[in-house]
Amino acid sequence: MEHINSKFDVISALRLRGMKVLSRKNKVIHIDRPTKELRGMAVDIIENIKGIRRRSGAVQFHGVTVRWNEE
């Protein structure tokens, strides 16, 4: 029998690590400030939408994509 992690378990794990959860949709959770551990495992994403360039990072955490915006 396979155990499926709930989004709420992942959110509480992120909050216990001191991160603020901004939103959650379709297995994507947006956070405010990632830890050094998450930054080390992250993939850099660069988007260019209508001439505006945005940088963000993303990482898989217990089957859910955790994403944040870089300043």
Side-chain angles (χ1 to χ4, degrees):
M1 184 171 148
E2 182 179 331
H3 177 70
I4 298 173
N5 289 334
S6 172
K7 283 193 288 187
F8 300 107
D9 294 340
V10 174
I11 290 171
S12 49
L14 291 171
R15 287 182 178 158
L16 284 172
R17 287 172 173 80
M19 292 174 259
K20 182 178 178 184
V21 175
L22 301 175
S23 69
R24 58 182 184 247
K25 274 189 182 177
N26 299 334
K27 290 195 167 195
V28 177
I29 298 174
H30 288 271
I31 60 172
D32 189 17
R33 293 184 204 111
T35 61
K36 284 185 181 182
E37 181 182 76
L38 284 181
R39 282 188 192 268
M41 299 184 305
V43 174
D44 289 329
I45 300 171
I46 300 172
E47 297 173 321
N48 192 356
I49 302 171
K50 294 183 181 179
I52 298 171
R53 187 175 179 195
R54 292 190 330 181
R55 289 189 66 159
S56 60
V59 67
Q60 285 285 79
F61 185 73
H62 294 286
V64 178
T65 303
V66 178
R67 186 173 174 161
W68 60 89
N69 293 331
E70 298 285 341
E71 285 86 31

